[in-house]
Amino acid sequence: MARAAVRSGDLEYAEFAANRSGPLFRSACLLTGGDTHLAEDLVQETLSRMYLVWRRPGRLFGGRAIENPAGYAQGVLYRQFIDHHRRRSSSERPVAELPDLAGPEDTSTLRMTLLEALARLAPRDRAVLVLRYWEDVSVEETAEILRCRPGAVRSQSSRALTRLRALLGDGLNDLAAH
């Protein structure tokens, strides 16, 4: 009987992971500035941590039940991203080959410019902007995910947007007009 319960829990987790891996990967790609390899690693780590929590009786974490597993997973992803940057000793990223050619012609110049500017922000600034303006998460939920106060989210959002605007400069209007 216990074996059947474990199997149904595993099946339930597998369904959860299949449904959430796409949205988690998209968020991770934004956070990493388009580094799909790092994004895959972050999603893998997030889902493995979720599996450990999933196996606990009542899905308890820190003494309380997880009411929104999708939201919890999103928070794990953002914290994994920030922790990854804390642990890194260098900002260099290895690549298999050096690019000799420009990117594909169908790549939107505006999108690439925004991704490059986003990648130049500090990890926590990126996390706040992606949560607030890409994921459309409320200030309170963002504060909970990043484990800070709502006022800190507001001020960090404002400062991060100012930094992003400074990076993009006046050229963004030219790109958006096309």
Side-chain angles (χ1 to χ4, degrees):
M1 188 70 169
R3 194 174 266 200
V6 169
R7 285 190 185 137
S8 72
D10 286 348
L11 289 174
E12 189 179 286
Y13 172 77
E15 184 180 332
F16 168 81
N19 290 334
R20 293 305 308 159
S21 60
L24 287 170
F25 181 71
R26 284 188 292 277
S27 294
C29 282
L30 284 169
L31 289 170
T32 62
D35 183 344
T36 57
H37 299 293
L38 178 56
E40 289 171 350
D41 290 346
L42 291 171
V43 171
Q44 177 88 20
E45 182 66 26
T46 297
L47 291 175
S48 67
R49 288 177 185 249
M50 285 301 297
Y51 182 72
L52 294 174
V53 172
W54 205 273
R55 306 259 329 189
R56 291 183 187 149
R59 290 191 200 123
L60 294 176
F61 184 77
R64 32 177 249 231
I66 298 171
E67 295 175 17
N68 179 1
Y72 184 81
Q74 201 73 18
V76 171
L77 174 73
Y78 283 88
R79 287 188 294 276
Q80 285 300 311
F81 169 71
I82 291 170
D83 287 347
H84 170 78
H85 281 279
R86 284 185 188 142
R87 290 188 305 262
R88 287 182 75 176
S89 61
S90 171
S91 61
E92 295 179 12
R93 294 189 308 197
V95 294
E97 296 178 21
L98 294 176
D100 289 333
L101 304 172
E105 290 180 22
D106 62 335
T107 301
S108 166
T109 306
L110 176 60
R111 182 183 194 100
M112 294 305 295
T113 302
L114 288 171
L115 283 174
E116 288 171 8
L118 195 60
R120 292 175 58 191
L121 294 176
R124 192 147 180 105
D125 287 347
R126 256 184 279 169
V128 167
L129 290 181
V130 171
L131 275 168
R132 290 285 295 125
Y133 302 107
W134 180 264
E135 300 290 335
D136 198 26
V137 175
S138 72
V139 170
E140 291 74 21
E141 290 172 312
T142 301
E144 187 175 323
I145 289 170
L146 297 178
R147 296 184 177 151
C148 63
R149 297 193 184 281
V153 170
R154 286 186 200 93
S155 62
Q156 192 163 8
S157 295
S158 176
R159 285 192 300 266
L161 283 173
T162 301
R163 287 183 193 116
L164 189 61
R165 286 182 187 114
L167 289 170
L168 293 171
D170 293 332
L172 185 61
N173 292 331
D174 298 334
L175 292 171
H178 291 103

